[in-house]
Amino acid sequence: MREEFWDTQPHYGGNKVIWDAIKAAIEAPDMDTTRLIIETAGIVVAKSNMTVMYDERGAKYELPKYVLTDPTNLVQSSQETQQQQQQQQQTLQPDQPAGMQEQQAASGRV
């Protein structure tokens, strides 16, 4: 989702250079670097969570929260769930051969 946002961000208006600076600031390894990028680009952060910013000309840049942090409320696909269950089974029963674990999983015994 993030990549889709950054690929389409020019359609939200504003200056591409400012969008690039915002992206670099968000992906910066530490807060000092983030601050330096924001200040150098002349960006004014209107909200402390960085969801609303302005450039020196007054153009508004709004960011969805999923661009800033990893979402925590997403539903996993059934394939991801099955993979996690298999990993948990292997972790719980490491001494048994894989075939035995699969038979137990298929029969409902774990």
Side-chain angles (χ1 to χ4, degrees), residues 85-96 101 110:
Q85 288 174 349
Q86 288 175 352
Q87 288 173 350
Q88 288 174 349
Q89 288 173 359
Q90 289 173 355
T91 303
L92 294 175
Q93 302 170 352
D95 297 335
Q96 291 184 357
Q101 290 176 7
V110 179

Side-chain angles (χ1 to χ4, degrees), residues 8-75:
T8 60
Q9 53 75 20
H11 300 291
Y12 295 103
N15 185 330
K16 178 162 176 28
V17 173
I18 299 298
W19 279 114
D20 290 343
I22 291 170
K23 182 179 180 183
I26 289 169
E27 295 175 350
D30 56 58
M31 285 303 294
D32 291 334
T33 306
T34 297
R35 258 190 217 107
L36 180 64
I37 293 169
I38 294 292
E39 289 173 5
T40 303
I43 299 169
V44 176
V45 179
K47 288 191 173 184
S48 61
N49 63 4
M50 293 181 67
T51 56
V52 178
M53 293 178 249
Y54 294 90
D55 66 15
E56 292 175 328
R57 295 182 178 182
K60 186 177 184 179
Y61 298 83
E62 292 187 76
L63 299 171
K65 288 183 181 180
Y66 69 82
V67 173
L68 302 169
T69 60
D70 291 325
T72 58
N73 61 345
L74 296 179
V75 177

